[in-house]
Amino acid sequence: MRKITFWLVLSVLIFQAIAQENSDMDVFISNLMSEMTLQEKIGQLNQVAPHGWVVTGSSVNEDIEKKVIAGQVGGMLNSMNPDMTRKIQELAITKSPSKIPIIFGLDVIHGFKTIFPIPFALSCSWNLNRIEQSARIAATEASASGFCWTFSPMVDISRDPRWGRVAEGAGEDPWWGAKVAEAMVKGYQGNDLSDERTILACIKHFAIYGAAEAGRDYNTIDMSRLSMYQDYFPPYKAGVEAGAGSVMTSFNVVDRIPATGNRWLMTNVLRDQWGFEGFVVTDYRANNEMSVHGLGDLKTISALSLNAGVDMDMVGEGFLTTLESSVSEGTVKIEDIDKACRRILEAKYKLGLFNDPYKYIDSIRMQNEVFSDSHLKAAREIAQQTVVLLKNDKNILPLKKQGRIALIGPLADSKSDMLGSWAGAGSRENVSTLKHGLETVGGANVTVAFAKGAEPTDDPFLLAASQNPWQRRRDGQTEEVKPSADSLLAEALEICRDADVIIASVGELASWSGEAASRTDITIPQTQRRLMKALKETGKRVVLVISSGRPLDLTWENENFDAIVMAWQGGTQGGLALADVLFGDYNPSAKTTMTFPRSVGQIPIYYSQLNTGRPANPFNKFSSKYIDSPNEPLFPFGYGLSYTTFEYGNVSLSDSLVRGDVTLTASVNVTNTGERAGEEVVQLYLADPVARVSRPLKELKGFEKVLLEPGETKTVSFTINTNDLKYYDSELNYDWDAGEFVFYIGPNSSDGKEARVMWEK
Ligand code: BGC
């Protein structure tokens, strides 16, 4: 009883403290705004980008300093030089009319200087604590270097690996995507935004950007509301519920209205239904792009987006240049500008910028914390957990720490490709390539001989896309004179001659995925395939280590090689982490969070598909299948191997008949049947065979990552309640039906044992 009273009193006190803080904030901002002119308020809604950094849209802003002094800038992105940031901030708080500090943002996507594996790879770790930790470290480094706001996490569900931005998200599943979104927001924002080491998160790209038709970036989307709510919205909603301070609009149309001008999305869904209280920023000139979508001139679309519920205009200056006259013409209300301005000021207040506008520029912290030993250690450990072992026939892996390794391939020693796309401020400093990793981890008894073997590609389109805007430019790389394909190959084969094992480091350059990097063909290019063929013909053991920003079509590789390791792009410590896995110092535990297709013809392909009325039947021509390919993917969602093996017992339910709002437990015994300790991601799926709308064949509802010693058995239990049974019907009611439910527990979305329950209302 005493305990309960204690907690009650504590909760009341915390609640009162928050209420007091909010009312202090309200008073402060109301006072401030009462002194501001309409122009100054509009100035707060304007975000500018300087020259000299990655430009993803069609322009940057001019005369930034003048605009700051005139009170025409509320936010700035890509201010990469802390001295410049300090100078701009100083102008804002000393020379601008209202002396309001500027909020500085950056795409801190998978780390700031210490780069972690690409977000998609992080999601394959199934380790939420580690994902949160990566965001926390990113925030720690960025917040010392001038930034208090990141445009992350990207939580767009993606079921089409042609889309380059799958690299930035958490894969195909809404339940998992929601968990990752929450972990990332917690990591960036912590419990207290005013802490100098936390930064504001931004949930993007709202909404459904990942469903671009044909996987072509920025493309049109036409989707039912049911699919939005059921399959695409959960991660955005989870990010909002986790307290994300900002949301970014997406470039695409939703119901034929660009998201940036879509009031239903930005106000009805985001604010009214989900209770979002932060501010909304457009994507890079997404406001202006509404004109290209055919929605009118800059004044019309700027009014449209402000009225839709957008608060800040990134780079386009449509708000800055047109809102005042829209107010005088009556198409925009002052109250709506006030609301937008207030939301932005609230974020600045919560970050503590009014108390100390320079708190996020801290050269001492920068020196001590950026690339600190503990950050590099975490980057290595986290990267280990993202490596997916796809195939390991004849137990080729792990490798012994002795003998001669021929390391062949165009990605084996490329630092910028190890960092991946959107590596933000990450430089090549401290980057460990696979070559470096093998040499370091292998120790004295291992010799590593390296040859490039082939160019990444000779395809003119891919060649044109091979400039990595995030790294190559700053590294000052110059084009080297290229040896012929034959001499590259000959050199590689020479090295292989006395090798005990060959490691082929192949796949995609970092610039082949990420923004504006969609591919129609997701195989490994011919130049590299020729190399792989030649390596196979040596008759030696070959391990394929594949780098990429997306699941690739690996049908040919799977037919021809015994060992396939998906390395993705592992970040600063990627090479060491990969070597840890290849030598067995870390037993791989990652599982893919996107389905690997057999060919692009199967795309979109994802595990939680609906049934058709004619499920595939090899004996029935008129069933839902291809005549030239199986329906099944090459590797299903949730798939990944270990150096040990796990056996699953039968699924047991705490009851086979339950009623109403109760909790059910589903358990399974998992045994490590191999000879090494290993972690297994045990996955729980649910099917609802009879409902008011057609329901997916199965949906992920839980997972647990368990560590098992050789021979050890653990019982893994999941609790399920009626919330897990709910779904959206065609009227968008969110509820569950009484009836039979099937639970599957297994190592991936295709294999699992099942148990059934009758759940009555
Ligand atoms: C991207 C966003 C990014 C923004 C700012 C846009 O092109 O779509 O994800 O945050 O640029 O760099």
Side-chain angles (χ1 to χ4, degrees):
M1 186 62 195
R2 240 199 243 146
K3 250 193 189 159
I4 296 179
T5 322
F6 170 78
W7 286 115
L8 212 68
V9 171
L10 192 69
S11 318
V12 170
L13 285 176
I14 292 175
F15 182 75
Q16 280 174 344
I18 293 174
Q20 180 58 42
E21 211 173 284
N22 281 344
S23 88
D24 290 350
M25 177 173 79
D26 289 347
V27 172
F28 176 87
I29 292 175
S30 298
N31 286 341
L32 181 61
M33 284 180 63
S34 68
E35 305 281 316
M36 290 169 77
T37 62
L38 177 60
Q39 269 175 326
E40 287 164 42
K41 289 174 185 167
I42 292 172
Q44 286 301 305
L45 320 189
N46 190 37
Q47 189 189 25
V48 293
H51 286 275
W53 189 242
V54 179
V55 178
T56 56
S58 54
S59 77
V60 289
N61 304 89
E62 303 300 334
D63 295 330
I64 289 181
E65 292 187 14
K66 274 193 205 149
K67 285 176 182 155
V68 170
I69 294 170
Q72 294 177 337
V73 176
M76 184 155 167
L77 71 154
N78 299 347
S79 176
M80 295 310 298
N81 176 347
D83 294 335
M84 172 167 103
T85 306
R86 184 175 284 278
K87 184 172 170 211
I88 297 279
Q89 193 68 302
E90 199 176 314
L91 290 178
I93 61 162
T94 59
K95 301 260 165 65
S96 75
S98 312
K99 317 220 169 337
I100 297 173
I102 286 171
I103 181 171
F104 290 90
L106 182 74
D107 290 277
V108 180
I109 305 295
H110 47 117
F112 179 68
K113 286 273 185 189
T114 304
I115 298 296
F116 295 93
I118 51 168
F120 176 67
L122 285 176
S123 80
C124 295
S125 71
W126 297 76
N127 189 331
L128 292 169
N129 291 335
R130 288 301 207 163
I131 292 172
E132 182 177 333
Q133 187 193 18
S134 74
R136 175 61 47 83
I137 290 174
T140 305
E141 294 192 356
S143 63
S145 316
F147 300 101
C148 52
W149 181 22
T150 175
F151 309 124
S152 169
M154 181 189 109
V155 304
D156 305 309
I157 292 299
S158 38
R159 295 173 167 187
D160 188 333
R162 290 172 298 185
W163 191 48
R165 299 197 85 169
V166 305
E168 291 175 61
E172 72 184 48
D173 185 68
W175 186 89
W176 178 237
K179 296 279 175 215
V180 174
E182 193 187 331
M184 294 291 286
V185 171
K186 278 207 248 161
Y188 290 129
Q189 297 196 164
N191 296 324
D192 179 7
L193 259 188
S194 71
D195 185 306
E196 60 174 3
R197 286 182 172 76
T198 58
I199 59 177
L200 200 75
C202 184
I203 296 293
K204 73 186 190 185
H205 306 83
F206 192 55
I208 69 175
Y209 180 39
E213 278 177 9
R216 174 156 56 80
D217 209 357
Y218 318 124
N219 203 5
T220 302
I221 296 158
D222 196 356
M223 187 187 286
S224 73
R225 295 239 167 136
L226 191 158
S227 295
M228 290 186 210
Y229 277 90
Q230 185 73 39
D231 302 324
Y232 283 78
F233 281 175
Y236 306 109
K237 183 164 182 271
V240 166
E241 285 170 358
S246 67
V247 164
M248 186 185 289
T249 69
S250 59
F251 287 122
N252 53 281
V253 295
V254 175
D255 295 337
R256 307 241 169 162
I257 300 173
T260 307
N262 194 314
R263 189 173 163 83
W264 173 72
L265 267 183
M266 299 304 156
T267 296
N268 297 23
V269 176
L270 187 62
R271 295 194 187 278
D272 300 346
Q273 293 173 24
W274 299 349
F276 176 63
E277 288 179 345
F279 73 94
V280 176
V281 63
T282 70
D283 201 343
Y284 204 103
R285 292 176 58 85
N287 185 39
N288 312 56
E289 290 178 13
M290 288 201 286
S291 289
V292 192
H293 280 286
L295 276 273
D297 63 11
L298 190 60
K299 194 199 277 185
T300 311
I301 49 152
S302 299
L304 184 70
S305 105
L306 194 274
N307 290 333
V310 169
D311 304 302
M312 189 180 263
D313 178 2
M314 187 188 283
V315 179
E317 299 196 337
F319 281 7
L320 186 73
T321 54
T322 69
L323 284 186
E324 214 178 336
S325 70
S326 295
V327 168
S328 55
E329 287 162 21
T331 49
V332 165
K333 291 203 217 91
I334 291 194
E335 301 86 83
D336 288 326
I337 293 179
D338 279 351
K339 273 192 207 162
C341 177
R342 179 176 283 276
R343 290 176 189 137
I344 291 162
L345 296 179
E346 282 177 358
K348 295 181 178 182
Y349 184 96
K350 289 179 184 162
L351 286 162
L353 287 170
F354 288 106
N355 284 337
D356 178 1
Y358 304 109
K359 67 188 272 202
Y360 299 101
I361 314 165
D362 186 336
S363 53
I364 297 182
R365 277 220 297 122
M366 246 168 102
Q367 221 161 34
N368 295 340
E369 294 176 19
V370 168
F371 282 136
S372 71
D373 289 350
S374 69
H375 291 182
L376 292 175
K377 179 168 179 278
R380 178 169 177 174
E381 289 168 359
I382 291 173
Q384 291 168 346
Q385 299 208 18
T386 63
V387 177
V388 181
L389 179 63
L390 288 178
K391 192 173 178 190
N392 191 22
D393 288 359
K394 302 180 194 144
N395 286 332
I396 290 188
L397 290 170
L399 302 175
K400 291 205 181 68
K401 284 188 183 169
Q402 92 195 34
R404 294 182 62 85
I405 295 176
L407 173 64
I408 311 292
L411 291 158
D413 200 27
S414 165
K415 291 187 173 184
S416 45
D417 293 305
M418 184 57 93
L419 288 179
S421 65
W422 272 128
S427 57
R428 303 205 304 165
E429 223 175 305
N430 293 322
V431 179
S432 168
T433 62
L434 178 54
K435 176 169 174 284
H436 170 264
L438 292 172
E439 285 165 353
T440 313
V441 178
N445 298 330
V446 174
T447 348
V448 180
F450 161 67
K452 187 172 174 186
E455 292 298 337
T457 185
D458 59 4
D459 174 285
F461 282 97
L462 280 182
L463 277 176
S466 298
Q467 276 303 317
N468 184 340
W470 284 275
Q471 270 85 40
R472 292 192 200 286
R473 188 166 41 79
R474 272 170 301 134
D475 296 341
Q477 283 186 7
T478 45
E479 281 300 306
E480 70 279 35
V481 185
K482 290 189 172 139
S484 73
D486 286 345
S487 64
L488 281 174
L489 184 59
E491 185 198 358
L493 293 177
E494 181 58 37
I495 281 178
C496 292
R497 200 181 298 214
D498 58 354
D500 300 308
V501 62
I502 299 170
I503 298 181
S505 172
V506 291
E508 292 188 311
L509 301 186
S511 55
W512 298 355
S513 63
E515 187 170 353
S518 299
R519 295 182 64 190
T520 59
D521 174 358
I522 55 169
T523 57
I524 297 177
Q526 285 305 325
T527 49
Q528 298 186 61
R529 186 172 288 189
R530 175 171 178 253
L531 171 65
M532 287 187 274
K533 266 189 194 150
L535 297 180
K536 182 182 155 90
E537 279 160 14
T538 63
K540 304 208 173 202
R541 289 178 301 153
V542 179
V543 177
L544 295 188
V545 175
I546 300 177
S547 301
S548 72
R550 52 162 67 78
L552 296 170
D553 163 358
L554 299 177
T555 301
W556 179 84
E557 288 75 7
N558 188 47
E559 278 163 9
N560 286 284
F561 293 89
D562 291 323
I564 306 180
V565 174
M566 277 317 285
W568 314 114
Q569 287 139 352
T572 307
Q573 297 288 278
L576 287 166
L578 261 176
D580 293 334
V581 169
L582 294 171
F583 286 120
D585 292 351
Y586 181 79
N587 187 356
S589 64
K591 306 232 184 188
T592 180
T593 57
M594 260 184 102
T595 305
F596 277 69
R598 287 174 191 275
S599 66
V600 284
Q602 288 184 317
I603 297 172
I605 182 167
Y606 49 94
Y607 82 91
S608 60
Q609 56 185 291
L610 303 186
N611 217 342
T612 68
R614 297 181 175 191
N617 174 351
F619 305 107
N620 180 0
K621 172 172 171 55
F622 297 99
S623 65
S624 181
K625 55 184 164 55
Y626 299 103
I627 56 168
D628 60 355
S629 161
N631 281 7
E632 289 70 35
L634 191 61
F635 300 109
F637 174 87
Y639 179 86
L641 301 174
S642 161
Y643 295 147
T644 187
T645 43
F646 300 101
E647 205 175 277
Y648 284 69
N650 289 331
V651 179
S652 73
L653 297 178
S654 52
D655 233 322
S656 55
L657 173 67
V658 287
R659 183 164 293 127
D661 242 339
V662 293
T663 303
L664 182 78
T665 308
S667 313
V668 70
N669 283 342
V670 184
T671 306
N672 181 344
T673 48
E675 273 146 32
R676 287 167 174 268
E679 287 167 289
E680 169 71 340
V681 180
V682 181
Q683 299 158 44
L684 169 77
Y685 295 86
L686 168 77
D688 181 2
V690 182
R692 278 163 292 132
V693 296
S694 187
R695 303 276 292 118
L697 289 172
K698 45 173 84 148
E699 286 176 309
L700 183 71
K701 290 292 170 185
F703 79 98
E704 207 182 317
K705 193 165 183 174
V706 287
L707 173 68
L708 293 168
E709 295 299 325
E712 187 185 354
T713 299
K714 271 189 186 154
T715 305
V716 178
S717 297
F718 298 95
T719 48
I720 299 134
N721 60 41
T722 51
N723 272 333
D724 299 311
L725 312 178
K726 289 181 180 168
Y727 64 92
Y728 288 95
D729 68 15
S730 313
E731 310 300 319
L732 301 182
N733 301 309
Y734 188 59
D735 205 354
W736 61 284
D737 307 317
E740 189 180 45
F741 295 90
V742 191
F743 294 100
Y744 302 87
I745 301 183
N748 61 62
S749 61
S750 290
D751 303 313
K753 304 215 169 155
E754 63 170 77
R756 289 163 187 264
V757 65
M758 278 301 294
W759 208 312
E760 297 181 346
K761 282 249 172 178

